[in-house]
Amino acid sequence: MVISDIALHFPKNLSEAIRLLGELEEARVLAGGTDLLIEIKQGLVMVKNLISLKKIKELKGIEKKGNRIRMGALSTLEEVMSDPLINQYIPALADAAASMASFQIRSMATVGGNISSAVPSADLPPTLIAAEATVELHCSDSSREVSLSEFFTGPREMICGKGELLTSVFIPLPPDETGIAFQKFALREASALAVVNVASKLTIKKGKIERALIVLGAVAPTPVLASKASGLLCGNKPSDSLFEKAALTAREEGNPISDIRGSIWHRKELIQVLTRRTLDEALSQVQGKLRRGK
Amino acid sequence: MKEERGKHRIVVLNVNSEEHSVAVKDGETLLDVLRDKLRLTGTKKGCNLGVCGACTVLVNGQPKNSCLLLAAACEGDEITTIEGVAGEGVLHSLQRAFINHGAIQCGFCTPGMIISALDLIKRNPDPSEDEIKEALSGNLCRCTGYTRIIDAVKSWKKYKKTKEPPSRSYDSEKFLTVGRSLPRVDAADKVTGRAKFAADYYFQNMLYGKILHSPIPHGRIKKIDTSRAENFPGVKLVLTGKDVPDITYGVSPARYDEYILAKEKVRYVGDEVAAVIAVDEETAEGALNLIQVEYEELPAVFNPTEAVQEGAPQLHERYKNNINTHVDHHFGDIEKGFAEADCIREEEFVGNHVYQNPLEPHTSIAYWENDGSTLVLYSSTQVPHYVHYMVARVLDIPLGDIRIIRPTVGGGFGAKAATTPLDLITSIASKKTGRPVKMLYSRKEMFLYGRGRHKQYMKFKIGVKKDGRITAVKSKIYLDGGAYSSFGVITAYYAGSMIPTLYMIPNYRYEGFRIMTNKPACGAMRGHGTPQPRFAFESLLSMIADDLGIDPVEIRLRNAMEANTRTCNDLDVRSCEFKSTLKEVEKKSGWREKYGKLPPGKGIGIGCGGFVSGAGYAIYRGQVQRSLEKKPEAFQKKAIFPHANAIVKVSEDGTAVIPLILAAEIGQGAATVLSQMCAESLGISLSRVRIRMEDSDISPLDLGAYSSRTTLMGGNAVVMACRDVLKKLFATVSEIWGCKPQELEAGENRIFHKRDKSKDMEWAEAARRYFNEHGPLVGTGWYKPPEELGGDYKGAAVGTSPAFSFGSSVCECRVDLETGKVKIERFTDYHDCGTPINPQAVHAQVEGAVVMGSGETIMEEVIYDGKGNTLNPNLHDYLLMTIKDVPEIFSGIVDSYEPEGPYGAKEIGEGATLPVLAAVAHSIANATGVWIKDLPITPEKILKALKNKEEAA
């Protein structure tokens, strides 16, 4: 199948890419292509111009910048999985990347694509939101940084305006005594979208939960910050019954639909189980850090 | 910005260290350019959406899906395809490992697998099993069950890079090939990407066709306007219902009910309405949108329960109340049987509509040769002869004017067991245009064409004595047939006929209804009609065992079929080692230590099954002849013509033997086992045998790869032809030596006297001597199933076979009781497949069946919305097991000898599927304490059942 009538452009730098994105009619950027080309082939989106980001070096690389990690939008999922910084500071993100698709696809698919496609079941956003990540958006004459939690506006919809491009993701280095965990339920072990995914962050000071964030994926048009459940944890000592209560609360904060991967009922059950499991895991990460610290 | 859309640009692609300057459109994928423009066809198109991995190539050393790369964006990259892996005739160690481990079946996924594995061993020369699974997680395989692929990658270092040909020459000094695990004869071609599948053929001046499918589930075609499509630049021909013969086709002669293109009505979303033939696929596809069809929509019906109600929409006038087939069988006396029972249990079960999903999409290419008098049709089919017969019927020309070519086929499992619209449209369009025409289905079109497994709604009742002995069995089954008959009449009979072959059942009643609904037609899938009733029966038997406190293995042993039995439905079982398979799986799996003794969430279960070794009767009646010429004739209880035929031709110098037989190699290994039997019968080494099966002009009729018939029937024909050759050779040599022919023997590439050691001649020399005196050395052989197979009731022919296989499987699984997720951990399988010709090939069939059957039990299902649309016609959403999902599998073979089979052999291909579903279901029930009786057993169903149980308690 030839994707008819598409013109491909190869800007040499970011400003050229952004200029093209603003100028061209029905234009999309082409990064890994693992989502966009499938959409185009299935006739789900109309695109006339594709702007390949292949030659743009500024968008690559994962590095530490001050007290944050910067991931270039073109970082592939394989790079995220194997990056030493990610594995040191936020292993849950490596877990999320590892849970996705297949080896080949992970070598192609990018962080920027996984975020800006704004697919409700995407696996990176919950962990990134739990880690309080921000994204940098560039347009021709300016750039802005927004919290990822405010980025998504609906299924396949986000706040980028015409000619605006997601260029970097910044993740603040998690404070000590913080654990971030990711859990995903899918119907097979590879090449499977999340039926539900959950990421939770716990920061524990002096035996009490100082800050908690529970983020649910694939259960609403956008990732859901389960604020009631998160709030319920803060100020309390971690315990099985507390986590169970938070999980039960999170269950009601998701607003899933029934589709071929699961019903509303099953998704709600899964929110509860996965939330509890992420909290358990985040706690044991903190406990592990404490043990190592002593 | 300059308008550049749709224009070509010249790019320089570096492929396998060679630079190619090629004109591409911006939207063309690397996959299409590699295949269509560079003709590097080793890279395969299986799904075109980045899931199957058959298109994997290395880009700058990294494995990527070439269907998701735009060629124009690959300039400057180093691309490696499968053709670049073996250098100058020297196979890579990994390719050798794939060959020797039997990691190849149809070969369609093989190039992609090898490319992914190549990257892995470069990064990590000693990968663990988990690392292998991760690296190959994006390469789907439908045949092998992945087990041997993992083994091959694990042990790649053991193999030296060697000059080709490795597959046979390494064994050339050894004889007695039957019974040995020799590598496949087509393996080297499959690991190098040289094996040519139908889509890999290109002919000069070739056109491409695409089909316009109905967007509505049921309606009348009021008007079709094709004028805009006809005027579209590049379009050569547009066909609609009025342009195709008024002759119906199908599979079961009593129910030929399909037109090539819809004449008046469409009956499902996907029904074929029109076809466009154009200079390329893109043009043809583009022009489809210009065809305007006006429909009068009719009410539609999507499930059999509603379809049989009075007043339901009628799909075909001839099938009243949408009942396509009704079977009513009663053997013995079930009333009496149930009256004698101490324990009776009745349960309802529901199967699932699964699709075979061979990795290779259906493809046909047709052209006319011999001054346009002879049709040549390349078809990716399991049944070249039935395609031959059906094309002759629809075009109304003699079979003699048609030449069918079956290239390498990338898996079938029943999806390619009938003549397709592609076969017929390319034949007609190539006649009309005078040019070769090629048509391929996309993955979505494969789902629309359908012919997957019937979803069956089953009620089973079993009565047993206190000791577990069966006194009566009753079943009532509704089969959801979809919009056309296809194989369905036979399916409906099979759903009943195979039940009494496994256990001694004195009294049996089966009532079956195949119902038409507005969905794609269902057909024959691996185990044809039987897996779901077998799942139901086995599950119910295990429930009864628990009710009575009898071990599930023990209850099976007490009822197990014995050799030389005539079943209650008049099927003749000859060899039968079913009990041995039960005892072996019990021992090997540690059943007694595990059953009832595992912690919650861990389970073990058993299932059994068996199948025919070839149908006793051909699908059509009467002799081989254009069907329109034949008068309807009464069924005769014998094969009218031989079902398998072989010519064994010896080269004039005596060094090569060429068996000719139209049997279909579709990945299952037919070419290899037939070659092995040929070598064994003639007393020559396998390296001297070169089988030719592809071309109906060259090879004599064989009915093809369905009903698990090839080893037994094709094998018998080949062995007989070999005996004919030896008879001629012995006559010549005995004359030279002045002895009697019966004093001679052939072996180790020689002809020698049984007692007089001085009389000894090279086999090839003997063949040359024969040729000098008598001309071509050729033997012929054929196989007809025994006469008088089956009983005298209606439908008695279905289920008859010269021999039956038997098998038992034990499944062990782990269930996450909080989410319902199942991990199938281990399978232990023993089969009675007679005496195996190639044990490795048998194990490979079993492993593939275990994985296919497991997927069918827990995750596969074609899902429809309420309007007849398929919701998951792609490999993203239709879930095949990946390499990370598969269990550890042990496959064993019990000693057995089938007198009717060549060298004692029976079938394995389909029978291996049958025990799997129930074994998985039972193990899940054992792990969770809840029986799920409708397939697939999804996490959600398990969790729901657990919650219901909790609430009830």
Side-chain angles (χ1 to χ4, degrees), chain B residues 108-128:
Chain B
F108 198 82
C109 76
T110 309
M113 283 282 178
I114 288 177
I115 292 283
S116 291
L118 199 63
D119 163 66
L120 169 69
I121 61 170
K122 255 182 210 152
R123 287 183 282 126
N124 178 359
D126 294 299
S128 68

mmCIF file of all heavy atoms in Angstrom, chain B residues 108-128:
data_model
loop_
_atom_site.group_PDB
_atom_site.id
_atom_site.type_symbol
_atom_site.label_atom_id
_atom_site.label_comp_id
_atom_site.label_asym_id
_atom_site.label_seq_id
_atom_site.Cartn_x
_atom_site.Cartn_y
_atom_site.Cartn_z
ATOM 1 N N PHE B 108 7.356 -18.105 6.501
ATOM 2 C CA PHE B 108 6.993 -16.719 6.203
ATOM 3 C C PHE B 108 7.532 -15.764 7.257
ATOM 4 O O PHE B 108 7.962 -14.652 6.942
ATOM 5 C CB PHE B 108 5.473 -16.594 6.097
ATOM 6 C CG PHE B 108 5.011 -15.350 5.399
ATOM 7 C CD1 PHE B 108 4.981 -15.289 4.012
ATOM 8 C CD2 PHE B 108 4.599 -14.240 6.115
ATOM 9 C CE1 PHE B 108 4.561 -14.139 3.361
ATOM 10 C CE2 PHE B 108 4.176 -13.080 5.469
ATOM 11 C CZ PHE B 108 4.150 -13.040 4.083
ATOM 12 N N CYS B 109 7.557 -16.189 8.515
ATOM 13 C CA CYS B 109 8.094 -15.332 9.573
ATOM 14 C C CYS B 109 9.606 -15.455 9.684
ATOM 15 O O CYS B 109 10.245 -14.662 10.360
ATOM 16 C CB CYS B 109 7.446 -15.668 10.925
ATOM 17 S SG CYS B 109 8.072 -17.194 11.682
ATOM 18 N N THR B 110 10.165 -16.495 9.061
ATOM 19 C CA THR B 110 11.567 -16.846 9.285
ATOM 20 C C THR B 110 12.554 -15.717 8.974
ATOM 21 O O THR B 110 13.432 -15.438 9.798
ATOM 22 C CB THR B 110 11.914 -18.127 8.498
ATOM 23 O OG1 THR B 110 10.947 -19.121 8.809
ATOM 24 C CG2 THR B 110 13.299 -18.629 8.843
ATOM 25 N N PRO B 111 12.451 -15.044 7.824
ATOM 26 C CA PRO B 111 13.421 -13.972 7.569
ATOM 27 C C PRO B 111 13.418 -12.906 8.667
ATOM 28 O O PRO B 111 14.485 -12.501 9.143
ATOM 29 C CB PRO B 111 12.960 -13.396 6.228
ATOM 30 C CG PRO B 111 12.276 -14.532 5.543
ATOM 31 C CD PRO B 111 11.571 -15.266 6.659
ATOM 32 N N GLY B 112 12.245 -12.490 9.077
ATOM 33 C CA GLY B 112 12.152 -11.474 10.131
ATOM 34 C C GLY B 112 12.711 -11.982 11.449
ATOM 35 O O GLY B 112 13.396 -11.267 12.175
ATOM 36 N N MET B 113 12.404 -13.226 11.768
ATOM 37 C CA MET B 113 12.925 -13.842 13.001
ATOM 38 C C MET B 113 14.449 -13.827 12.990
ATOM 39 O O MET B 113 15.090 -13.500 13.990
ATOM 40 C CB MET B 113 12.502 -15.320 13.069
ATOM 41 C CG MET B 113 11.091 -15.561 13.471
ATOM 42 S SD MET B 113 10.863 -15.376 15.242
ATOM 43 C CE MET B 113 9.088 -15.667 15.313
ATOM 44 N N ILE B 114 15.005 -14.230 11.866
ATOM 45 C CA ILE B 114 16.466 -14.335 11.784
ATOM 46 C C ILE B 114 17.101 -12.950 11.886
ATOM 47 O O ILE B 114 18.109 -12.773 12.573
ATOM 48 C CB ILE B 114 16.877 -15.082 10.496
ATOM 49 C CG1 ILE B 114 16.534 -16.564 10.676
ATOM 50 C CG2 ILE B 114 18.365 -14.904 10.194
ATOM 51 C CD1 ILE B 114 16.801 -17.440 9.501
ATOM 52 N N ILE B 115 16.489 -11.961 11.257
ATOM 53 C CA ILE B 115 17.030 -10.600 11.341
ATOM 54 C C ILE B 115 17.017 -10.114 12.797
ATOM 55 O O ILE B 115 18.007 -9.589 13.301
ATOM 56 C CB ILE B 115 16.211 -9.637 10.440
ATOM 57 C CG1 ILE B 115 16.433 -9.975 8.957
ATOM 58 C CG2 ILE B 115 16.534 -8.190 10.752
ATOM 59 C CD1 ILE B 115 17.744 -9.494 8.375
ATOM 60 N N SER B 116 15.901 -10.329 13.494
ATOM 61 C CA SER B 116 15.835 -9.895 14.896
ATOM 62 C C SER B 116 16.856 -10.644 15.742
ATOM 63 O O SER B 116 17.514 -10.062 16.604
ATOM 64 C CB SER B 116 14.438 -10.132 15.475
ATOM 65 O OG SER B 116 13.516 -9.255 14.881
ATOM 66 N N ALA B 117 16.979 -11.947 15.494
ATOM 67 C CA ALA B 117 17.908 -12.758 16.279
ATOM 68 C C ALA B 117 19.357 -12.373 15.983
ATOM 69 O O ALA B 117 20.211 -12.408 16.871
ATOM 70 C CB ALA B 117 17.678 -14.238 15.992
ATOM 71 N N LEU B 118 19.598 -11.996 14.754
ATOM 72 C CA LEU B 118 20.948 -11.600 14.352
ATOM 73 C C LEU B 118 21.414 -10.377 15.153
ATOM 74 O O LEU B 118 22.550 -10.323 15.630
ATOM 75 C CB LEU B 118 20.909 -11.253 12.864
ATOM 76 C CG LEU B 118 22.208 -11.233 12.102
ATOM 77 C CD1 LEU B 118 22.832 -12.619 12.092
ATOM 78 C CD2 LEU B 118 21.949 -10.781 10.659
ATOM 79 N N ASP B 119 20.505 -9.429 15.301
ATOM 80 C CA ASP B 119 20.833 -8.246 16.091
ATOM 81 C C ASP B 119 21.096 -8.643 17.543
ATOM 82 O O ASP B 119 22.051 -8.190 18.159
ATOM 83 C CB ASP B 119 19.668 -7.251 16.009
ATOM 84 C CG ASP B 119 19.739 -6.215 17.112
ATOM 85 O OD1 ASP B 119 20.690 -5.415 17.093
ATOM 86 O OD2 ASP B 119 18.869 -6.220 17.992
ATOM 87 N N LEU B 120 20.281 -9.550 18.050
ATOM 88 C CA LEU B 120 20.449 -9.986 19.445
ATOM 89 C C LEU B 120 21.826 -10.612 19.673
ATOM 90 O O LEU B 120 22.532 -10.236 20.605
ATOM 91 C CB LEU B 120 19.349 -10.994 19.809
ATOM 92 C CG LEU B 120 19.563 -11.718 21.156
ATOM 93 C CD1 LEU B 120 19.396 -10.751 22.319
ATOM 94 C CD2 LEU B 120 18.589 -12.883 21.308
ATOM 95 N N ILE B 121 22.207 -11.552 18.812
ATOM 96 C CA ILE B 121 23.467 -12.260 19.094
ATOM 97 C C ILE B 121 24.678 -11.366 18.860
ATOM 98 O O ILE B 121 25.751 -11.621 19.385
ATOM 99 C CB ILE B 121 23.589 -13.582 18.301
ATOM 100 C CG1 ILE B 121 23.564 -13.333 16.799
ATOM 101 C CG2 ILE B 121 22.500 -14.550 18.730
ATOM 102 C CD1 ILE B 121 23.909 -14.553 15.977
ATOM 103 N N LYS B 122 24.481 -10.308 18.095
ATOM 104 C CA LYS B 122 25.570 -9.340 17.963
ATOM 105 C C LYS B 122 25.737 -8.561 19.264
ATOM 106 O O LYS B 122 26.838 -8.326 19.729
ATOM 107 C CB LYS B 122 25.281 -8.377 16.812
ATOM 108 C CG LYS B 122 26.133 -8.708 15.604
ATOM 109 C CD LYS B 122 25.902 -7.748 14.466
ATOM 110 C CE LYS B 122 26.153 -8.495 13.165
ATOM 111 N NZ LYS B 122 25.393 -7.967 12.050
ATOM 112 N N ARG B 123 24.614 -8.176 19.859
ATOM 113 C CA ARG B 123 24.676 -7.436 21.121
ATOM 114 C C ARG B 123 25.077 -8.353 22.250
ATOM 115 O O ARG B 123 25.700 -7.940 23.218
ATOM 116 C CB ARG B 123 23.289 -6.850 21.450
ATOM 117 C CG ARG B 123 22.872 -5.665 20.596
ATOM 118 C CD ARG B 123 21.514 -5.145 21.072
ATOM 119 N NE ARG B 123 20.399 -5.960 20.603
ATOM 120 C CZ ARG B 123 19.472 -6.487 21.379
ATOM 121 N NH1 ARG B 123 19.491 -6.310 22.681
ATOM 122 N NH2 ARG B 123 18.491 -7.211 20.866
ATOM 123 N N ASN B 124 24.638 -9.596 22.147
ATOM 124 C CA ASN B 124 24.705 -10.496 23.287
ATOM 125 C C ASN B 124 24.863 -11.928 22.769
ATOM 126 O O ASN B 124 23.874 -12.610 22.513
ATOM 127 C CB ASN B 124 23.403 -10.319 24.072
ATOM 128 C CG ASN B 124 23.311 -11.233 25.274
ATOM 129 O OD1 ASN B 124 24.214 -12.029 25.530
ATOM 130 N ND2 ASN B 124 22.218 -11.118 26.000
ATOM 131 N N PRO B 125 26.097 -12.393 22.615
ATOM 132 C CA PRO B 125 26.318 -13.700 21.990
ATOM 133 C C PRO B 125 25.793 -14.882 22.810
ATOM 134 O O PRO B 125 25.597 -15.955 22.264
ATOM 135 C CB PRO B 125 27.845 -13.789 21.868
ATOM 136 C CG PRO B 125 28.357 -12.407 22.101
ATOM 137 C CD PRO B 125 27.352 -11.707 22.941
ATOM 138 N N ASP B 126 25.561 -14.685 24.099
ATOM 139 C CA ASP B 126 25.040 -15.778 24.922
ATOM 140 C C ASP B 126 23.728 -15.377 25.579
ATOM 141 O O ASP B 126 23.640 -15.240 26.802
ATOM 142 C CB ASP B 126 26.063 -16.162 26.004
ATOM 143 C CG ASP B 126 27.306 -16.760 25.391
ATOM 144 O OD1 ASP B 126 27.177 -17.804 24.721
ATOM 145 O OD2 ASP B 126 28.387 -16.161 25.552
ATOM 146 N N PRO B 127 22.703 -15.193 24.805
ATOM 147 C CA PRO B 127 21.459 -14.683 25.390
ATOM 148 C C PRO B 127 20.746 -15.730 26.229
ATOM 149 O O PRO B 127 20.793 -16.926 25.928
ATOM 150 C CB PRO B 127 20.619 -14.320 24.165
ATOM 151 C CG PRO B 127 21.127 -15.194 23.073
ATOM 152 C CD PRO B 127 22.568 -15.442 23.357
ATOM 153 N N SER B 128 20.105 -15.272 27.284
ATOM 154 C CA SER B 128 19.256 -16.165 28.090
ATOM 155 C C SER B 128 17.928 -16.342 27.366
ATOM 156 O O SER B 128 17.630 -15.622 26.409
ATOM 157 C CB SER B 128 19.002 -15.524 29.454
ATOM 158 O OG SER B 128 18.180 -14.379 29.277
#
